[in-house]
Every structure is written in structure tokens, then in C-alpha cells.
DNA sequence: AGGTCTTTGTGAACGCGCGCACAAAGTCGC
DNA sequence: GCGACTTTGTGCGCGCGTTCACAAAGACCT
């Protein structure tokens, strides 16, 4: 590695998006009692090519041992550090409907560096109720307690999402995960990631149809070939 | 357009991933009573650049009118056709826990070309119960009724996901949306898309930390500059 | 009917990310 | 200790996607 400690490294977005997958695979290896892994095996577990994995890891320094592989614990720590997961991040879920309930009850956040700390809604009927051990609060209350580095999850209807995003950014939130199927306008410096299930299904539908059309083509070509053969004799 | 009707067009993956967003924006315009839109305005609504939007649309043919813009209804139809949304697609949700319940109750699928037709679980306690108007069934029952073009949504714990995927592919499913945080191995020709919330949050955490570090750097540089200034006088 | 003006569609340049090939480095056997 | 073997780290080329610049096409005004 030619990287001085403490120096800012610019890691490609594509690599950053894969680091969580590597981290998950590494945790699974730890749980299985494996403490050294080759790039080939780890790549297999993460569903990528080994050469790509090595290039990704090279961006955070050279923590592998040639002829041996990577120390699972060491690499886990390095990736976690790079992702900023030494400490838990506080999460606020906004919109406690069907989806908000499921998210509040989800145990997968706590094991991966996040603590759902606030549940927020607008409906006076919902505010004050207890969900998964947390009392639902309103925006005014959140504005008073929200600290730096809070991550907001928007699970309101799309009609309310922009308004919610505006309020969150006003109180200093710079990271938003949006489940509402709509485009959010946010100020410079605020990062939005979206999860859109219907969009995912529509992409699947496109390929499903394409596969079906290709089958049709194959059938047509088969018929055509048969006709040619018939005409030829 | 230099494209003969009925010819297979190869549309870039990146474009396919954006078509659903355009379609959603177009539907909103229809609802607002707008029937002609410029690439500039549509791009704004979709959160992309107008030049990129036009290039995307050019892949499906030239349906715009120069000097005017695009006919909203016409373009909606063309995109829906391209995505294979003339008819609804049947969806089976596997794993009726917290997330499965929320998905089954979600109204956003029906309005965007999908019909949740089967709810599947393994637990005998859950099989036979009615959720959102549908009776939960087991795999054996699904295998008997599942038709061609079925899209499977996996909402089971990650430990069960691979097994579920195997069973689904065996019964001919070629499109899977996976919510379990794990990598799925599937045969050639089967398309898997994954939704991993913890991964999304970790990507946000990375940028959040990076922003924080940059603030630190700015502060440090400020201190440094002050010291330099002090030393200079 | 002709001119102007708006907006589309596309060729070309650019940058990024992926895959390949290979050298460097370190381990293990003898 | 030395050689063979394993596995990492990286320079390079290629293909894809995004952006830019501009010409073509049609509407609208006079
Ligand atoms: N349910 C799902 O499985 C699912 C799946 C994908 C996407 N989504 C999307 O997630 C969002 C939530 O879905 P849902 O099914 O939970 O909806 P829901 O109607 O059940 O719940 C919405 C909640 O948001 C609250 N809310 C409304 N406006 C608010 C505001 N301004 N501030 C704070 N809270 C507000 C409401 O009081 C309600 O509790 C929707 O945008 C939906 O499209 C849901
Ligand atoms: N709850 C959330 O908000 C949330 C968010 C993100 C991801 N996830 C992921 O989604 C998945 C489901 O989460 P959940 O909270 O609903 O879990 P859950 O434990 O509440 O429900 C899991 C359900 O799957 C069923 N199941 C288990 N094995 C099965 C099998 N082999 N075949 C069919 N059904 C089977 C169980 O009977 C149960 O009903 C998990 O992988 C979780 O990590 C959940």
C-alpha cells in the first residue's frame, strides 16, 4: 500500500456499494469459525469475481497476505471502519404505517450498525402509541432531540414524502433512505437513496417479457426452418 | 427512428432501470391533466438530465414532436409496452412474517402492473390463515397452480432464502425479488434483483462519515492556517 | 409561403468501471 | 536455506454510459 495512514482515499462508488456485501460475507465466515479466506472463496460468497474483489479491497489498503489470503477479523474491522461502523448510527423512521411497523420490528438493523432510535408520525392517533418498544413522536419533538449524523427513513405516502424530506433537511439530516415512490428534491450535500419495489418488479417484468419474446422467436425460427426444409425437397 | 416495427431492440440496462421512473412521472402528469410535456420538464420530474432522458427515449423509437415535446398518453403506452405491462404480472410472496404482511397489504403493486396472487409460507401455523384477502398456501400447493411468467418475492429469513429460490426455480420461476440479506445462486436464465436495507443504510453511513471527516479536515486546516498566520507575524 | 424559434434526436468525446494478464511477495516442503 | 507453489495487488485495454454540441424537423407567427 502506498497510502499514508489518515489520508483521505477516494473510493469508487461501485466499490462502496459492494463493501457491505463483503462485510456480511465476512461476518458469516466468522460465525462459521473460519479466520482466513482467499479472495477466490470470499468472492464466491459475495457473488462477484475474485479479481474485482481484490481491486475493491486494494482501494482501502493491502490487508491480504500473498500465498495465504485475508484475515477475516482484520478485514472485517477495516471494512467496518471504512464504512464508519465503529459506532452505531441513529435512525429515525418517519411514517408508521404498514411498512413503518415492519421496519421498526426488523432486527437486521441492530446487527449491522444501526439503532432505530425514533419513530415519527403526523397522525395524532398514532403519536404516543408504542411500537416495538418505542413511543411514536411528532416532528416538533424530533426536532428537539435529533442529533448530528441522524439517518432518516421515509415510509410515508408519496404525497407527504417531499414535505417530510424538507423538514428533515431543515433539522440537519444529511442522509435519507426513501421508500416512497417519488423523486425527492434536496439541498446540496444531502444524500438520498431510494428503494422502489414496483420499479424493481417492472425491471424484472421487462426481462421476463424479453425472455418470452425470445422463446417466441425461437419457435418462429423453428417453423421457418421447417418451411424452408419443406420447400427444398 | 431507423427501427423496423417488431424488431428486437437492445435497450441498455441503465435505460431499462430508468423507464419505470419515467412511467411514474408520466402517470402523475396524466393525473394532473397535462397531455404534452417537453424532455426538459419530464427530466425534472424524473430527477435526470434532459439530454439523458432523450437518449433513453430514443432507444425505443422517436415518439416526440420537435418544437413541441412528447404526448404523455402515447409515451406512457410505449414505455408500458416496452416494459411488458400491457397485462398484469402475477406475483407470489414467500415468507409471511413482518415484511410479508406489509407487502401483501401494499396497494402500490396493483396500480403499477402487478397482482399479488399467492402468499406462501412453510409454517403450518401460518398456512391457511387469510392475509389481505388471500389464503396462505404451502409450496406443494403453489407448485400445482403456478403458471408461466410468475414473479417470486422472497421475504423469508436469509437461512431459508436459498432453499426457497431452489424450489421456485424448479417450478419454472425466472424472476426473483429477494429481500433476504444473502447472495442467491440461481441457474442460467433466472434473474434476481435484491433489496437490502442494511446495505443501503451502510452506504449512507459511509457518505455521512466522509462528510463528517471533511468537516474535521476543514477545522484542522483552519487551525493550521491560523498557526501559520501566527508564526508569520 | 417563408422565416424564426423551439425542441428533438444523435454523433462524438470523455470518464468510469470491469476483466485480464502478470509480476511481486510470501508460505510451505525438503 | 532454497526452490516451487500459492495468492495478492495492479497496470492496461475495452466496453458502457453520460455529457456535450449541433443539425434536423416541425410548429407558430406574420
Ligand atoms: N407497505 C409496503 O409493503 C410498501 C412497499 C413498498 C413501498 N411502500 C411505500 O412506503 C410508503 C408507506 O407505505 P405504507 O403501506 O406503510 O403506508 P400507510 O398508509 O400504511 O402508512 C403511512 C403512514 O405515514 C403517516 N404519514 C402520513 N403523512 C405523514 C407526514 N407528513 N409525516 C409523518 N407521517 C405521515 C401516516 O399517518 C401513516 O401512519 C408509501 O409511500 C408506499 O408507497 C410500501
Ligand atoms: N421486517 C423488515 O422490515 C425487513 C426489512 C428488510 C429486510 N428484511 C428481511 O426480510 C426477511 C423477512 O423478514 P421478516 O421480518 O418478515 O421475518 P419474520 O421472521 O417475521 O418472517 C419470516 C417468515 O418466513 C417464513 N419462513 C421461514 N422459512 C420459510 C421457508 N423455507 N419457506 C417459506 N416460508 C418460510 C416464516 O414462517 C415466517 O413467517 C428477512 O430475511 C429479513 O432479513 C425484513
Amino acid at each position: 500500500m502506498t497510502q499514508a495512514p489518515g489520508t483521505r482515499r477516494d473510493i469508487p462508488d461501485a466499490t462502496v456499494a459492494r463493501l457491505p456485501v463483503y462485510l456480511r460475507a465476512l461476518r458469516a465466515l466468522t460465525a462459521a469459525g473460519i479466520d482466513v479466506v482467499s479472495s477466490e472463496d470470499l468472492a464466491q460468497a459475495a457473488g462477484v469475481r475474485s479479481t474485482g474483489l481484490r481491486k475493491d479491497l486494494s482501494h482501502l489498503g493491502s490487508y491480504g497476505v500473498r500465498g495465504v489470503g485475508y484475515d477475516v477479523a482484520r478485514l472485517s474491522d477495516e471494512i467496518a471502519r471504512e464504512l464508519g461502523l465503529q459506532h452505531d448510527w441513529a435512525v429515525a423512521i418517519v411514517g408508521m404505517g404498514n411498512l413503518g411497523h415492519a421496519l421498526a420490528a426488523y432486527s437486521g438493523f441492530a446487527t449491522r450498525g444501526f439503532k432505530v432510535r425514533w419513530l415519527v408520525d403526523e397522525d395524532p392517533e398514532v403519536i404516543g402509541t408504542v411500537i416495538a418498544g418505542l413511543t411514536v413522536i411528532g416532528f416538533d419533538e424530533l426536532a428537539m432531540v435529533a442529533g448530528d449524523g441522524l439517518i432518516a427513513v421515509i415510509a410515508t405516502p408519496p404525497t407527504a414524502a417531499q414535505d417530510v424530506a424538507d423538514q428533515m433537511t431543515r433539522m440537519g439530516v444529511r442522509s435519507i433512505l426513501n421508500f416512497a415512490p417519488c423523486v425527492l428534491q434536496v439541498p446540496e450535500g444531502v444524500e438520498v437513496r431510494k428503494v422502489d419495489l414496483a420499479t424493481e418488479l417492472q425491471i424484472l417484468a421487462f426481462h421476463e417479457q424479453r425472455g418470452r419474446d425470445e422463446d417466441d422467436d425461437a419457435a418462429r425460427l423453428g417453423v421457418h426452418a421447417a418451411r424452408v426444409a419443406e420447400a427444398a425437397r
Side-chain angles (χ1 to χ4, degrees), chain A:
Chain A
M1 80 141 154
T2 55
Q3 194 70 45
T7 307
R8 185 83 52 255
R9 293 173 267 256
D10 61 327
I11 300 180
D13 286 346
T15 295
V16 172
R18 283 185 294 264
L19 290 180
V21 181
Y22 303 153
L23 184 57
R24 176 150 44 79
L26 287 166
R27 295 274 154 87
L29 290 172
T30 300
I34 297 168
D35 44 31
V36 172
V37 67
S38 69
S39 64
E40 195 62 53
D41 290 351
L42 183 55
Q44 172 94 15
V48 300
R49 307 246 170 227
S50 65
T51 167
L53 169 68
R54 288 202 300 276
K55 177 147 294 186
D56 282 341
L57 296 183
S58 74
H59 286 112
L60 26 142
S62 98
Y63 299 118
V65 179
R66 294 169 192 233
V68 177
Y70 298 88
D71 182 277
V72 173
R74 172 84 188 286
L75 191 54
S76 293
D77 287 351
E78 291 298 340
I79 293 178
R81 188 180 53 76
E82 199 62 53
L83 290 172
L85 301 176
Q86 297 103 326
H87 61 87
D88 277 11
W89 293 87
V91 172
I93 300 174
V94 185
M96 297 310 299
N98 282 314
L99 184 60
H101 271 79
L103 294 174
Y106 183 42
S107 60
F109 292 144
T111 59
R112 291 171 72 186
F114 301 93
K115 171 132 186 68
V116 177
R117 188 156 294 164
W118 289 291
L119 305 181
V120 185
D121 207 295
E122 183 197 46
D123 188 342
E125 296 279 315
V126 179
I127 294 175
T129 61
V130 176
I131 299 172
L134 281 174
T135 303
V136 179
I137 61 175
F139 277 106
D140 42 2
E141 201 173 336
L142 178 66
M144 295 190 302
V145 293
D148 198 45
L150 176 66
I151 296 176
V153 174
I154 298 182
T156 65
T159 48
Q162 182 63 58
D163 187 49
V164 170
D166 291 345
Q167 297 198 55
M168 300 307 286
T169 52
R170 261 199 297 276
M171 59 179 84
V173 169
R174 288 190 298 186
S175 300
I176 296 176
L177 182 58
N178 180 31
F179 282 88
C182 64
V183 177
L184 294 182
Q185 307 285 348
V186 292
E188 185 83 10
V190 176
E191 173 114 2
V192 176
R193 295 190 66 86
K194 69 179 208 300
V195 175
D196 188 338
L197 306 195
T199 292
E200 296 297 327
L201 290 181
Q202 289 178 345
I203 296 170
L204 285 174
F206 171 83
H207 290 112
E208 186 79 35
Q209 190 200 35
R210 210 174 64 106
R212 180 174 288 184
D213 288 355
E214 272 162 17
D215 291 350
D216 290 354
D217 288 354
R220 236 196 317 278
L221 286 172
V223 171
H224 181 65
R227 285 195 188 136
V228 169
E230 189 178 32
R233 70 171 159 78

